Amino acid sequence: KVVTLVSDAPGAKRAHYVGVDNTAAGRTAAMLLGRFVGTRAGKVGLIAGSLALRDHVERQFGFEQVMAREFPHLQVLPVREGRDDYEKVEEVTRALLAETPDMVGIYNVGAGNRGIVAALEAAGRAGDVVFIAHDLTPFTRKQLVRGTIDAVINQDPGHEVRSAARVLLSACEGSDFVADQERIRIDVFLRDNIP
């Protein structure tokens, strides 16, 4: 029996997908970024690890969908890939900032947040550019407190692992599982509600 974790492969013969709704996660990021930017007009950078990853593509889709509908005064730039490597992500972010003086926001759909923070700080734009990231880690927690990251969209990895084990056990036993118990929530963390 197979369960997909974090990123789905719906065409595969899998028993279940365990992870957040990544399109909804991208829509959430767009709503947060757009609201935080407010009425300022400008451009928004979009960084993905890889467009070969379904979860990154789904997050991008959801993000662009809401930005186009709700925040027409913000122009989302073409997505750039950083391979989830903080050095590559820093290089991509430095280029984005240099090419785009009217950058008002950045959404990173994957990893490599350390690179974005380094680039924002080097450009003197930390706190000026709204930055939405994924995954609450010791690093992103620190940057939330500092105000360099404005919001972190998180999925509880412990819940995902426990859910995957329960779903696999149910599949092997041929029994049902409680779908509501296995739904992975999209958590949004700001400086004021960090656990």
Side-chain angles (χ1 to χ4, degrees), residues 126-145:
D128 171 46
V129 174
V130 174
F131 176 19
I132 309 297
H134 277 269
D135 300 324
L136 188 64
T137 66
F139 178 78
T140 57
R141 177 189 310 269
K142 178 180 177 184
Q143 298 310 313
L144 274 171
V145 170

Side-chain angles (χ1 to χ4, degrees), residues 124-184:
R125 303 286 311 272
D128 171 46
V129 174
V130 174
F131 176 19
I132 309 297
H134 277 269
D135 300 324
L136 188 64
T137 66
F139 178 78
T140 57
R141 177 189 310 269
K142 178 180 177 184
Q143 298 310 313
L144 274 171
V145 170
R146 291 182 67 215
T148 307
I149 296 178
D150 295 277
V152 170
I153 297 170
N154 192 61
Q155 51 195 342
D156 182 347
H159 184 192
E160 287 175 322
V161 170
R162 290 186 301 275
S163 179
R166 284 189 299 264
V167 169
L168 281 170
L169 184 60
S170 293
C172 290
E173 292 176 344
S175 61
D176 293 329
F177 60 87
V178 181
D180 284 344
Q181 180 181 352
E182 309 313 340
R183 186 177 315 113
I184 308 300

Side-chain angles (χ1 to χ4, degrees), residues 3-38:
V3 168
T4 55
L5 186 63
V6 179
S7 188
D8 198 8
K13 295 180 181 177
R14 52 128 172 103
H16 190 68
Y17 161 63
V18 177
V20 297
D21 177 336
N22 284 296
T23 302
R27 289 194 307 261
T28 302
M31 189 58 71
L32 289 166
L33 190 143
R35 296 275 181 152
F36 288 169
V37 167

